[in-house]
């Protein structure tokens, strides 16, 4: 009993800190202007609400384990249920008491001179426009109510609870994306009169919200009811029919992949193109980091070389001496970037681990400095960049706009995927693997590590150059500032978030780290905050990545020992060298 | 069979060694050529060079203070705490509000030294709190994860902290009050030397000396060294590894916090949420330059980097006729790092660390 | 059984594609009664340049609350973050043009964002008015300009020329140095200055550059000081400009050099931050003093809780004012209050704007021959509303004394 209360207090305490944090840094107020459901709940309040609900639910889940069996209806006693809900309410009350405290403190001391976002608007939002005392009490009451509600949700039988939770999650998700839904509906030809019933500029309409909620529940229930039987039926089919089925799934997938930009509309296609560019970068970096085990933090350099060579070879601007077509330029772009890969690779051949990381990080910055410099301005455009990069032409057909560019990036990504798959199974791939496992042993076994390291850098660079080329064409103008360290960081992060060495992981990682933030652009200044938080949480919850490649996780642990050994050997060599001379 | 393999490896290495030597000689000639050209042009007087070196030392000592945080953490946990620049920012950004308040209230003009002490305490405290929270929330759960995982976490933490402080304090620029006593000139042997630069240099040296004593002379320091050698054996010897790691983050945070105030004394303008990112990268470079994990190395690396990026563009690049040479000062710093690592892959003082480990 | 499903599915998909392909742009925006007139913005709301985006949004909100309703409809302002980068500008453009309810757009702040957004915006039929783009290429039809683009900020050609003219004619300078920070804006302005300075008979001793994030400027200042130029022109932003001013006093050789900056650092917090060293330094920038400006400052303070951080919001307010006037002129109002706004006509109406009495002066958006032989399109500001300002002691002591009175206008 006492333990339960302590747990509720503890969870409420943490939840309260989170609620206080998002209020004080201004998220609640900023997102009060955008609604999840128009006229009912704004994103700002919604975030606080979800926080309280989750805390209530979590409290119930931790306490309820021994008390109620949520799956088996009828077995819970009224008493157990009361304990769970009571503690959930307590936790909710503790969460909201933090906010009430903020309201009370602000009414006495002017916090705004330091904490810039503790504005009168925030306070009136938290107190629902009431006076300080009454507002704080209302806040406490609502916290208690929703904490209890969260706990109540847990005490429901799972048949009811799962669809309910799924419905709420869908609602929150699509509510956040309502801007994208609205433009997409109008683009795929839904008349605005109809579209307005479901979603308006300010957010989902109550009707739209109800439909999404019901849809989620229906899908969840359908899934529970029919998924198992369906799989069972398919496995029972004769082999020929099964083959048909497999073929059908493939065909459907391909059709979907091809029709995607026209289903999701322009905005999402633009995001898809960007995701595609990062998928390309991920495939390329996977060769360097994932396969060959060389930690490269300056991958943006090759992206930049690809983009700049595209720009200079094809631009109509006076800066480019020759102006050739994209397709004629493509082989030259790839070769130039490959050479750049060798140039970066050569000086760092003997470095490992974190030393390699900082040096490659430096090379990435040097690429940007050179593009930016007045020194190279006559050839690279300096700060003014290169403008007037024409669109890609395919015969008489111009690949312009995100929906058509999608096919270009899709083709490049499939090509890079093909190369990566082939490398995996080839001699080269095995050599890289050996080198990554243990460089010294690989060397003694006859693997020419210098050759394979340089090959990895060059191959990785060439794939990045394709991404750079699409990037340049997409923007029609490139500036040095686009090629900063954040690009390298994103490429490496998506690789690790996805699960290093895993090709599906690259795709998942790119969607998670590039696609979702891009769709949620309205979060503008809080986007990087959320991005950082997601990186931290993901790494703590799933350090092996979203789609891990099982073998790689194990190997990475061994890396640590390798670097220390290497340090030792380097030192020994340096001690010996002077004597030899 | 074994012999031929050896020979083959030997050949590879000789080819690479040759290439590296060619690179070294080439860079050496370029540097020499540029320097001689600049000096021969007679554009700058000797006193100008000395002033630049002193400015570089002052800037470098700030880098060094931050670099120590990288090095300490690396020495013990073997990972790059990418968010350490943000720890520095946290201290400087928080204390600037105290400084502004004290200036407004009239306390600062009356008691400048006391103000300095207060700022130092505030800054060190906030940096330390951030560093310790970082360790507790973001890094501790990953103690035994693969090496790349905490690196990504640290990168995430860096963004998270930047935008947290932006949310808390806003995106405007703040300014430290000017400590009038520091803004003057000492005339030594016909040379004008800025007092503030001497102050920055000495204050940083003091901090570093204190750290060195802690690590070398105290029991805690001994425990830190033991943990950095081998966590498991240290734990077997009865050392509370978690405590030592927290202490490491506390010390790193305190040094970064003091660097924040010193930066505020020396360059009072432009205190904002993004101020930690660039110095963080520089300090990281400095730590590697000096031999990461090595305390005197981080100091030396910081000073070396500061001097080189201040003097380098003028001395080397202008002689080569490169326009807007100062734009490339970061590029010079990086190229120098690459060169040093080619010569000495373990950094300037990295050897000592490895010897101890051996 | 399954094959048939597949067939049906693919037919549905093909039909969907066909519908999508026929969709096309909509030339007329219809606003039904009770619906707002939707204005989009494309401004930096995150990153280092967000202060410009925020002040522009604040200023536009002031104007919107003053106007109340337009033709019986509320005015709704929503927008996209451009992050002050080419890729941010391009994405913001894609998202803006995908929204059929948007009537007109205010943006962007950074020229690089607009360069990447230009084609998309122009092809969509939308009207874009930028409050802060200054790159000459953007309004030059031979380079980047495409129909539908206008701006209320001053072309660099004006500001560079005015600064050079002032330096030579009023300050009597014969040598000058320039420092930029690698930003396309500052690099462009520094180049415009040095070009004009040379044209007017002066000598440019050095063109140097710093990087964003630099804090120690002694090295670059030493380089500049070797020639002791009469004027040092550094049209860069905070905080690098603060460091240059504050550290310039330490450098021997710069004692008699006049510091000259531009609107990038002509912001309220600048002089208090740079300190005593800023006393007497010059700024070129938009001439935003006068009654209208005073009213604007007061309204902005009341609406946003702070004074505007610099003269960027005024341009945004003027741009929105021009846009709203044009909407008023071209909108067809039905009996029930429904508005029909033809996007093409809206462009023509904006272009036809003459002598709009804005906070930043009289604005006319027609074609102008700014350089002999080149007709620029879309420049609303004519450069007459630029001025030179000087930092005084009152401003150094408190940012409330910003802005100082104008010292000289061309």
């Amino acid at each position: 009993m006492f333990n339960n209360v302590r747990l509720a207090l503890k969870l409420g305490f943490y939840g309260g800190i989170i609620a206080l944090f998002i209020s004080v840094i201004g998220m609640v107020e900023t997102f009060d202007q955008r609604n999840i459901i128009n006229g009912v709940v704004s994103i700002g309040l919604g975030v606080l609400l979800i926080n309280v609900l989750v805390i209530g639910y979590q409290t119930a889940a931790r306490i309820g384990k021994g008390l109620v069996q949520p799956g088996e209806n009828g077995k819970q006693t009224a008493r157990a249920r009361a304990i769970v809900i009571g503690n959930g309410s307590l936790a909710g009350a503790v969460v909201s008491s933090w906010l009430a405290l903020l309201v009370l403190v602000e009414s006495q001391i002017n916090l705004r001179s330091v904490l810039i976002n503790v504005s009168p608007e925030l306070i009136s939002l938290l107190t629902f426009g009431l006076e300080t005392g009454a507002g704080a009490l209302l806040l406490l009451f609502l916290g208690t109510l929703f904490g209890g509600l969260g706990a109540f949700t847990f005490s429901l039988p799972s048949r009811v609870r799962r669809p309910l939770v799924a419905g709420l999650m869908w609602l929150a998700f699509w509510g956040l994306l309502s801007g994208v839904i609205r433009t997409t509906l109008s683009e795929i030809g839904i008349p605005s009169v109809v579209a307005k019933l479901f979603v308006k500029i300010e957010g989902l309409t109550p009707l739209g919200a109800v439909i999404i909620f019901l849809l989620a529940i229906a899908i969840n229930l359908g899934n529970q009811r029919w998924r198992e039987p369906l799989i069972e039926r398919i496995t029972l089919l004769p082999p020929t029919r099964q083959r048909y089925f497999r073929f059908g799934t493939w065909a459907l997938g391909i059709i979907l992949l091809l029709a995607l930009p026209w289903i999701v509309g322009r905005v999402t296609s633009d995001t898809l193109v960007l995701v595609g560019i990062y998928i390309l970068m991920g495939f390329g970096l996977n060769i360097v980091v994932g396969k060959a085990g060389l930690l490269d933090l300056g991958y943006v350099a090759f992206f930049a070389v690809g983009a700049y060579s595209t720009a200079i070879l094809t631009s109509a601007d006076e800066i480019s001496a020759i102006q050739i077509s994209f397709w004629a330029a493509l082989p030259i772009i790839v070769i130039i970037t490959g050479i750049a890969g060798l140039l970066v690779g050569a000086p760092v051949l003997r470095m490992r681990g974190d030393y390699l990381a900082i040096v490659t990080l430096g090379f990435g910055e040097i690429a940007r400095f050179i593009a930016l410099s007045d020194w190279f301005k006559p050839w690279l455009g300096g700060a003014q960049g290169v403008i007037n990069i024409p669109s890609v032409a395919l015969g008489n057909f111009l690949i312009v706009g995100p929906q058509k560019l999608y096919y270009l990036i899709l083709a490049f990504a499939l090509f890079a995927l093909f190369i990566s798959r082939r490398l995996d199974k080839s001699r080269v791939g095995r050599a890289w693997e050996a080198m990554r496992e243990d460089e010294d042993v690989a060397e003694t076994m006859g693997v020419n590590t210098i050759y394979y390291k340089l090959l990895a850098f060059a191959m990785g660079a060439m794939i990045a150059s394709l991404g750079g080329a699409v990037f340049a064409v997409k923007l029609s103008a490139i500036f040095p500032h686009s090629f900063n360290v954040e690009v390298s960081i994103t490429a490496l992060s998506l690789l690790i978030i996805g699960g290093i060495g895993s090709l599906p992981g690259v795709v998942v990682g790119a969607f998670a780290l590039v696609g979702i933030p891009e769709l949620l652009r309205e979060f503008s200044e809080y986007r990087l905050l959320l991005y950082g938080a997601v990186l931290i949480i993901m790494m703590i919850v799933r350090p092996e990545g979203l789609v891990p490649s099982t073998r790689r996780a194990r190997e990475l642990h061994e890396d640590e020992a390798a670097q220390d050994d290497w340090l030792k050997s380097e030192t020994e060599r340096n001690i010996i060298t002077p004597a030899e001379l | 069979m074994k012999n031929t393999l050896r020979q083959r490896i030997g050949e590879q290495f000789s080819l690479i060694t040759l290439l590296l030597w060619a690179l070294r000689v080439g860079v050496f000639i370029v540097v020499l050529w540029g320097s001689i050209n600049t000096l021969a042009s007679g554009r700058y007087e000797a006193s100008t060079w000395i002033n630049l070196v002193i400015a570089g030392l002052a800037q470098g000592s700030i880098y060094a203070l931050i670099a120590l945080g990288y090095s300490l953490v690396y020495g013990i946990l073997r990972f790059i705490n990418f968010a350490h620049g943000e720890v520095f920012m946290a201290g400087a950004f928080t204390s600037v509000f105290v400084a502004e308040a004290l200036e407004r209230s009239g306390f600062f003009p009356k008691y400048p030294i006391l103000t300095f002490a207060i700022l130092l305490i505030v800054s060190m405290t906030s940096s330390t709190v951030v560093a310790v929270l970082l360790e507790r929330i973001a890094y501790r759960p990953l103690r035994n994860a693969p090496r790349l995982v905490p690196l990504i976490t640290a990168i995430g933490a860096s963004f998270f902290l930047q935008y947290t402080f932006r949310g808390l304090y806003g995106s405007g620029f703040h300014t430290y009050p000017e400590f009038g006593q520091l803004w003057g000139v000492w005339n030594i042997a016909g040379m004008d030397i800025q007092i503030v630069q001497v102050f920055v240099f000495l204050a940083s040296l003091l901090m570093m000396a204190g750290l060195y004593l802690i690590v070398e002379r105290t029991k805690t320091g001994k425990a830190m060294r033991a943990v950095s050698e081998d966590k498991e054996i240290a734990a077997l010897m009865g050392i509370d590894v978690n405590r030592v790691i927290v202490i490491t983050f506390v010390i790193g945070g305190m040094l970064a916090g003091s660097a924040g105030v010193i930066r505020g004394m020396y360059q009072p303008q432009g205190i904002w949420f993004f101020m930690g990112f660039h110095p963080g990268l520089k300090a990281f470079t400095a730590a590697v330059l000096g031999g990461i994990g090595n305390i005197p190395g981080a100091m030396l690396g910081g000073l070396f980097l500061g001097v080189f990026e201040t003097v380098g563009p003028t001395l080397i690049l202008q002689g080569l006729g490169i326009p807007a040479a100062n734009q490339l000062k970061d590029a010079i710093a990086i190229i120098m790092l690459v060169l040093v690592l080619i010569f000495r892959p373990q950094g300037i003082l990295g050897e000592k660390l490895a010897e101890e480990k051996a | 059984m399954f094959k048939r499903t597949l067939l049906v599915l693919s037919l549905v998909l093909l039909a969907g594609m066909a519908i999508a392909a026929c969709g096309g742009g909509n030339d007329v925006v219809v606003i039904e009664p009770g619906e707002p007139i939707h204005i989009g913005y494309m401004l930096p709301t995150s990153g280092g340049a967000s202060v410009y985006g925020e002040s522009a949004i604040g200023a536009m909100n002031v104007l919107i609350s003053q106007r109340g309703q337009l033709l019986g409809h509320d005015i709704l302002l929503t927008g996209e973050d451009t992050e002050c980068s080419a890729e941010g500008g391009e994405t913001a453009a894609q998202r803006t043009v995908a929204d059929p309810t948007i009537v007109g757009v205010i943006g962007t702040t950074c020229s690089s964002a607009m360069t990447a957004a230009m084609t998309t915006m122009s092809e969509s039929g939308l009207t874009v008015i930028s409050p802060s783009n200054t790159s000459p290429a953007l309004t030059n039809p031979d380079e980047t300009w495409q129909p539908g683009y206008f701006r209320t900020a001053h072309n660099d050609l004006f500001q560079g020329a005015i600064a050079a003219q002032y330096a030579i004619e009023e300050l009597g300078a014969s040598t000058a140095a320039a420092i930029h920070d690698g930003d396309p804006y500052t690099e462009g302005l520094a180049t415009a200055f040095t070009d004009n300075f040379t044209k007017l008979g002066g000598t440019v001793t050095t063109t140097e550059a710093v990087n964003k994030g630099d804090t120690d400027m002694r090295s670059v200042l030493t380089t500049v000081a070797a020639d002791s130029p009469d004027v040092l022109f550094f049209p860069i932003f905070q905080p690098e400009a603060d460091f240059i001013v504050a550290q310039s006093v330490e450098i021997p050789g710069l004692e008699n050099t006049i510091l000259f900056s531009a609107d990038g650092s002509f912001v309220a917090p600048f002089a208090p931050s740079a300190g005593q060293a800023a006393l007497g330094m010059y700024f070129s920038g938009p001439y935003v003093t006068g009654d209208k400006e005073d009213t604007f400052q007061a309204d902005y303070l009341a609406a946003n809780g702070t004074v505007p951080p610099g003269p960027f919001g005024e341009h945004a307010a003027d741009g929105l004012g021009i846009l709203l006037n044009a909407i008023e002129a071209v909108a067809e109002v039905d009996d029930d209050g429904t508005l029909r706004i033809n996007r093409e006509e809206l462009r023509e109406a904006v272009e036809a704007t003459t002598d709009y009495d804005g906070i930043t002066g009289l604005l006319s958006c027609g074609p102008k021959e700014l350089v002999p032989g080149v007709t620029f399109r879309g420049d609303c500001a004519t450069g007459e509303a630029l001025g030179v300002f000087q930092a005084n002691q009152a401003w150094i002591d408190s940012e409330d004394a910003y802005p100082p009175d104008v010292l000289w206008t061309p």
Side-chain angles (χ1 to χ4, degrees), chain A residues 112 180 182-183 186-189 193 196 201-202 241 244-245 248-249 251-252 255-256 259 262-263 266-267 270-271 369 372 374 377 383-384 387-388 401-402 407 471 474-477 479 481-482 518-519 521-522 524-525 527, chain C residues 2-3 6 9-10 13 17 19-20 32 35-36 38 45-46 54 76 78 80-83 86-88 90-92 94-95 97-101 112 115-116 119-120 137 143-144 180 182-184 187-188 191 207 209 211 304:
Chain A
R112 203 184 183 183
V180 180
R182 188 171 60 86
T183 48
S186 92
E187 266 185 281
I188 59 174
V193 187
K196 269 176 209 159
I201 296 170
E202 300 87 353
R241 299 292 298 267
Y244 276 141
F245 198 84
T249 324
L252 195 69
I255 290 176
L256 253 177
W262 307 98
I263 302 170
R266 183 180 198 135
V267 171
D270 190 55
T271 307
F369 285 131
L372 186 60
D374 287 6
K377 195 180 176 190
Q384 303 300 335
I387 59 174
N388 293 335
Y407 296 104
F471 184 76
K474 176 175 185 266
L475 295 188
S476 80
F479 297 88
H481 298 286
S482 303
E518 197 63 19
L519 285 177
R521 280 180 74 89
E522 284 124 303
S524 56
E525 68 246 63
R527 207 166 65 227
Chain C
F2 178 74
K3 264 196 255 176
L6 192 70
L9 257 175
S10 40
L13 277 177
M17 281 169 74
I19 291 170
E32 282 164 26
E35 285 186 359
H38 190 181
T45 52
S46 66
E54 282 157 15
L76 174 74
T78 67
E80 300 290 339
D81 181 11
T82 60
E83 300 162 328
E87 58 272 29
E90 198 264 350
T91 305
Q94 297 294 352
R95 297 174 72 103
V97 303
D99 188 339
T101 61
S112 55
T115 308
T119 307
T120 309
E143 294 191 58
T144 316
H180 67 82
D183 187 285
E187 202 265 354
T191 308
T207 304
N211 288 312
N304 299 293

Side-chain angles (χ1 to χ4, degrees), chain B residues 43 166 175 266 318 326-327, chain C residues 50 211 218-219 223 227 273:
Chain B
R43 222 171 114 86
R166 183 186 193 276
T175 307
Y266 183 46
Q318 276 177 17
N326 282 289
Q327 198 175 22
Chain C
S50 56
N211 288 312
R218 290 168 179 90
S219 166
T223 306
D227 303 299
S273 164

Side-chain angles (χ1 to χ4, degrees), chain A residues 320-331:
Chain A
S320 88
I322 46 164
Q323 193 195 346
I324 53 179
S325 83
F326 180 80
W327 302 108
L330 199 57

